[in-house]
Amino acid sequence: MELCWHGRGGQGVVTANVILAETSIREGKYVKAFPEFGPERMGAPIRAFTKISSKPIRVHSQVYTPDIVIVLDPTLIGKVKVTNGLKKDGIVLANYPGTPDELKAALATDAKCFAVDATKISIEEIGKPTVNTSILGALVKVSGIVSFDSLTSQVVSNLAGRLPEKVVAKNIEALKRAYAEAR
């Protein structure tokens, strides 16, 4: 399974990629996960890549033909060709306030599209538009790539110690809500 993440610096793209990779490892899978930066500044478009397999991964390159594309910043839609290389039966999951059909039209794609308003969820649950935990909840729902329980445990593990317990709990609520609201 190969994933390509699109977002902007400061949105948590790298953290989401790491959490997914660590969750996959926890489940006994092999993983390659790494970011690709352009200009390293807050708000600059960035990509990250994840490869997950039940067998050792021997190819050390970026993802050129993703199975899943995840878009954390809806302002990239229409400005960046996020569906480049997407496999014929691939999935697009986007932080997008509209319907999946509206997302499909905005991307001009035939791919299976899923939308979740991760920005709204994050603001309401966490108090700021850091959408990484929200998008992870939606990703698990639409792909089943890892178990929801493993992901929840890994989010707690990654954030505990770095953030106050109250903020970690808010992130878990955002994760759960995005899982429920992804469509």
Side-chain angles (χ1 to χ4, degrees):
M1 180 74 61
E2 295 185 329
L3 295 84
C4 182
W5 303 76
H6 293 270
R8 293 189 185 275
Q11 291 183 314
V13 173
V14 173
T15 300
N17 192 21
V18 167
I19 290 171
L20 178 63
E22 290 175 348
T23 305
S24 299
I25 290 167
R26 190 179 257 194
E27 291 187 350
K29 299 170 184 160
Y30 294 91
V31 177
K32 297 273 184 198
F34 49 94
E36 175 189 77
F37 296 101
E40 294 185 36
R41 68 182 195 284
M42 185 74 85
I46 64 167
R47 291 189 304 171
F49 307 102
T50 317
K51 297 179 182 189
I52 302 171
S53 179
S54 60
K55 299 176 184 173
I57 300 168
R58 308 245 187 260
V59 177
H60 307 285
S61 69
Q62 75 179 40
V63 171
Y64 294 100
T65 54
D67 298 285
I68 302 173
V69 168
I70 304 108
V71 182
L72 277 76
D73 189 325
T75 67
L76 295 174
I77 295 169
K79 293 183 178 127
V80 174
K81 185 70 172 152
V82 297
T83 58
N84 271 352
L86 182 65
K87 289 182 180 161
K88 184 178 180 182
D89 58 347
I91 292 172
V92 176
L93 168 63
N95 172 14
Y96 189 74
T99 68
D101 286 338
E102 290 168 338
L103 174 61
K104 185 179 277 213
L107 292 170
T109 185
D110 291 328
K112 191 169 190 176
C113 291
F114 295 91
V116 64
D117 194 343
T119 301
K120 178 182 177 192
I121 292 168
S122 297
I123 290 170
E124 291 176 0
E125 296 297 335
I126 303 168
K128 61 183 186 175
T130 305
V131 300
N132 55 355
T133 52
S134 299
I135 208 78
L136 282 168
L139 176 61
V140 168
K141 181 177 183 178
V142 305
S143 72
I145 197 162
V146 293
S147 80
F148 184 79
D149 290 341
S150 292
L151 177 64
T152 303
S153 177
Q154 192 63 48
V155 168
V156 170
S157 178
N158 277 57
L159 300 182
R162 291 183 16 211
L163 298 173
E165 191 174 311
K166 184 177 176 180
V167 176
V168 174
K170 289 179 179 185
N171 274 271
I172 296 304
E173 288 307 309
L175 180 93
K176 289 177 183 177
R177 188 168 154 198
Y179 182 90
E181 293 181 21
R183 57 197 192 293

